[in-house]
Amino acid sequence: MQDTLQRLFQYKAWANDELLTALAKLGGASPVTGLAIKALSHSYVVDRIFAAHMKQETHGYTSANLDEMPSLDALSADIRASDRDYIDYVSALDLRRLAERIRFTFTDGAAGCMSREEMLLHVITHGVGHRGQVSAVMILNGMTPVKDGFTTYLHEAEASVRRRAALTGKQATASTRRARSVPTLFWA
């Protein structure tokens, strides 16, 4: 499971970077940017809360949402640093520590108890959901969403192992045309 978690957190960092890079190109005037910052800042705060829970430290957050939204540049730097922290953290865990159940308190005051493995899986799935929200907002605003799926990551990160050559200009254009012909909310 540890190898899988390492791979998932490397994927998470890659997917976040792909999305943050695309958002930076849109600029602050885009209707997508403000909504993306709200969704991604929430995801970032949850990441930091669970990082503290796993280390059995206090986190200082009273809510999973920020009162004031950061700039995209500041949020991007924070997310990238958090992703690096998670990759390092997961790499150092052993099976005993992964299985250890930790008691904590949610920001609403409710008691919680989860293993580190469960918390890590929550962080992964939670982030996927919010990146998906941003992709949906991009689609609703007539933009092509970032290709941030796990299969895309694997085939880019391990192209030689998966025997995938880089697309030529003509192939990339044909691939883009096919992707645009897919119904609005569903794509391969």
Side-chain angles (χ1 to χ4, degrees):
M1 181 58 152
Q2 187 179 17
D3 288 344
T4 300
L5 285 170
Q6 287 177 22
R7 217 176 214 182
L8 286 172
F9 278 93
Q10 290 165 351
Y11 155 68
K12 178 182 184 298
W14 171 86
N16 281 338
D17 186 65
E18 291 288 307
L19 182 56
L20 294 167
T21 300
L23 291 171
K25 291 176 185 174
L26 294 179
S30 169
V32 172
T33 305
L35 294 170
I37 288 172
K38 287 181 183 178
L40 297 176
S41 67
H42 163 74
S43 186
Y44 166 75
V45 168
V46 170
D47 286 2
R48 299 321 307 154
I49 288 171
F50 277 93
H53 291 333
M54 285 183 277
K55 295 174 184 174
Q56 298 176 299
E57 299 174 351
T58 58
H59 52 72
Y61 291 102
T62 58
S63 170
N65 295 296
L66 298 174
D67 293 330
E68 286 188 40
M69 292 298 111
S71 69
L72 180 59
D73 287 342
L75 180 60
S76 296
D78 288 343
I79 289 172
R80 287 176 173 124
S82 180
D83 286 342
R84 284 189 301 275
D85 288 346
Y86 266 101
I87 290 168
D88 292 344
Y89 181 77
V90 170
S91 297
L93 284 177
D94 60 29
L95 292 176
R96 181 191 58 75
R97 290 184 64 219
L98 268 174
E100 181 184 1
R101 291 191 176 277
I102 298 169
R103 296 192 180 284
F104 59 90
T105 304
F106 287 101
T107 55
D108 67 359
C113 181
M114 297 169 72
S115 69
R116 282 187 180 90
E117 182 178 36
E118 292 166 336
M119 289 187 220
L120 290 165
L121 289 173
H122 171 69
V123 167
I124 288 292
T125 58
H126 184 254
V128 168
H130 288 296
R131 283 192 306 276
Q133 286 178 323
V134 175
S135 291
V137 170
M138 291 175 85
I139 291 167
L140 292 172
N141 281 277
M143 299 171 192
T144 302
V146 174
K147 288 186 140 199
D148 67 351
F150 188 60
T151 56
T152 302
Y153 164 73
L154 289 175
H155 285 82
E156 285 189 17
E158 302 171 358
S160 63
V161 173
R162 296 178 188 283
R163 298 188 178 128
R164 183 180 203 182
L167 294 177
T168 65
K170 199 179 236 183
Q171 291 170 321
T173 302
S175 177
T176 301
R177 269 198 304 272
R178 280 193 304 276
R180 287 187 183 143
S181 68
V182 176
T184 307
L185 291 178
F186 302 96
W187 57 91

